[in-house]
Amino acid sequence: MQVSSLNEVKIYSLSCGKSLPEWLSDRKKRALQKKDVGTYKPRVRCYDTYQLSLKFERCLDSEVVTFETLSDDYSKIVFLHNDRYIEFHSQSGFYYKTRIPKFGRDFSYHYPSCDLYFVGASSEVYRLNLEQGRFLNPLQTDAAENNVCDVNSVHGLFAAGTIEGRVECWDPRTRGRVGLLDCALSSVTADSEINSLPTISALKFNGALTMAVGTSTGQVLLYDLRSDKPLLVKDHQYGLPIKSVHFQDSLDLILSADSRIIKMWNKNSGKIFTSLEPEHDINDVCLYPNSGMLLTANETPKMGIYYVPVLGPAPRWCSFLDNLTEELEENPESTVYDDYKFVTKKDLENLGLTHLIGSPFLRAYMHGFFMDIRLYHRVKLMVNPFAFEEYRKDKIRQKIEETRAQRVQLKKLPKVNKELALKLIEEEEEKQRSTWKKKVKSLPNILTDDRFKVMFENPDFQVDEESEEFRLLNPLVSKISEKRKKKLRLLEQQELHEKEEEEEPEGKPSDAESSESSDDDKDWVAEVRKQRRLLQQEEKVKRQERLREDRQTVLKPQFYEIKAGEEFRSFRDSATKQKLMNKTLEDRLKLEAKNGTLSVSDTTVGSKQLTFTLKKSEQQKQQQEAAKLHRQERKTLRRSAGHLKSRPRRGRPFH
């Protein structure tokens, strides 16, 4: 598949043959292409696109000038031959043949009236009615000869292009001419060089009002039927007759082709979108509807098939082209030729061909050389005669790997908490089996969650199964854990054998242990009682050891320092304070509310309000009591002084 790009628009050639280097001489190119040389025979081939195969092939008596399919399938086909014959084919094959008076060049079918309009080396347009099965009166034009014709699918207007460079428009209902366009005069611009009178070589309608006209001097004129002046004139710059004109509505493009190039340009501005130059001369172009596929009829036995992803997706029958083009865009490949092998200098050293550098056998290209593929294979066979043995060993190794893949795969367990990981794996397998039977919402697995990966990597997170907390939280450390430990040991042995011998150990597989039946309820009860007795015995042994240690230890006096500003009462108060600090906030708040230092009340907005009363130290309490006594003494003194003033004096006054 060759890829070309212009204006950043990639075009994929799907039917390219052998890719030959440009530095080969013309004589060598012809010699390499001798096997591909062929000539056409008068025949028609029909292909089934969905099967990508040939449907049928029919031979004809003479060469075909043009043809048209009148039905949705291949059941009605009309061929115009170069010997003036018109041949009709049905689904089964040849159906009928008739002849027109002059050599035909083009024809069009008018669906409302079932008329075939033929133009050719005559001023008349011949009409053949397929419903009546006879020729009707021809249309008389002002031209000496007519080259092309077309029928508008919207309103049925018939247009014919003449050798004088004009386009005559006819109304099939009245069989009268309704318009005349002088395209030859309009195609001449200040930049164009005209050596002969332009004739009309291509004609195409688009919608009800748009028409494109191609001339024999390489110009394309875009018309609005309401005006006799062209909206746009596009020159191919090659001076070759325009073979075909097509409209691409999704991007507002016009595809015009001569025998050398296919140009795609914007119909509003005339700006070039992209272009395509095949290796051989072009006879006709077909744009697959609603896709980016383009087919060309060339002067070669093989048709040209091109895919332009920008124009649209691939057709349904070859939708795989979209995936291929995406892969090619992601992984671009360098230039590769069919009959030549690209080798680097290191490859030449391995093959012992460095002495050929500079000779005609090697052609320098970029960082290496091109050499004949036959020479490369011969030298490689001589240098490495045991290539077949290596190939055979590789095949045997691949077969062994395939058989190993069918065996029971070992579970890769982490280094930390292996038993916990094995337990999680078994739970995940059980969950998968349950999801096969019924639809259960799957939950994330801890082993695959990045948030818990440290638990299986850091040794600090290793679970100590002999600790008191683990045994209290998991009292049923029963035969399941024992089986899991056996399974874990078996997996470790299998991994060891794989590393040493690269063979699977024989014997009973690890999954066989899990298939054994579980214990009944009595075994479970006995196991629970056994664990409880063990825990009680261990606790009793620990208490005896602590008592023995307490007897052996000699108590020594300990001194404590009291902080400044605090008063020591007893060790009981400090112990009470320590117990209070160990309680939760809720318990402390309840205790404070009971002691009266905290009051809880509801506010008007529905919330809670807490009021705290600070505790006073002993010194503050003493000071408060002393102040209270002092106030009481002063109060009694004031009362006594007032009582003395109010009592009447007796005796003589005091001097």
Side-chain angles (χ1 to χ4, degrees), residues 331-337 342 365-367 370:
N331 302 318
E333 296 182 357
S334 58
T335 305
V336 179
Y337 301 111
F342 180 80
Y365 181 77
M366 295 178 65
H367 62 285
F370 275 114

Side-chain angles (χ1 to χ4, degrees), residues 445-458:
N445 191 2
I446 297 179
L447 291 173
T448 58
D449 198 336
D450 295 336
R451 297 175 297 176
F452 303 99
K453 65 179 181 180
V454 184
M455 190 168 63
F456 301 99
E457 296 176 356
N458 193 346

Side-chain angles (χ1 to χ4, degrees), residues 403-404 406-410 493-495 497-498 501-510:
T403 55
R404 284 180 177 177
Q406 297 174 359
R407 300 175 182 174
V408 177
Q409 298 294 327
L410 295 178
Q493 292 176 2
Q494 289 178 351
E495 290 180 0
H497 284 294
E498 283 289 334
E501 304 177 2
E502 295 184 355
E503 294 181 358
E504 186 179 13
E506 297 180 358
K508 189 176 181 181
S510 59

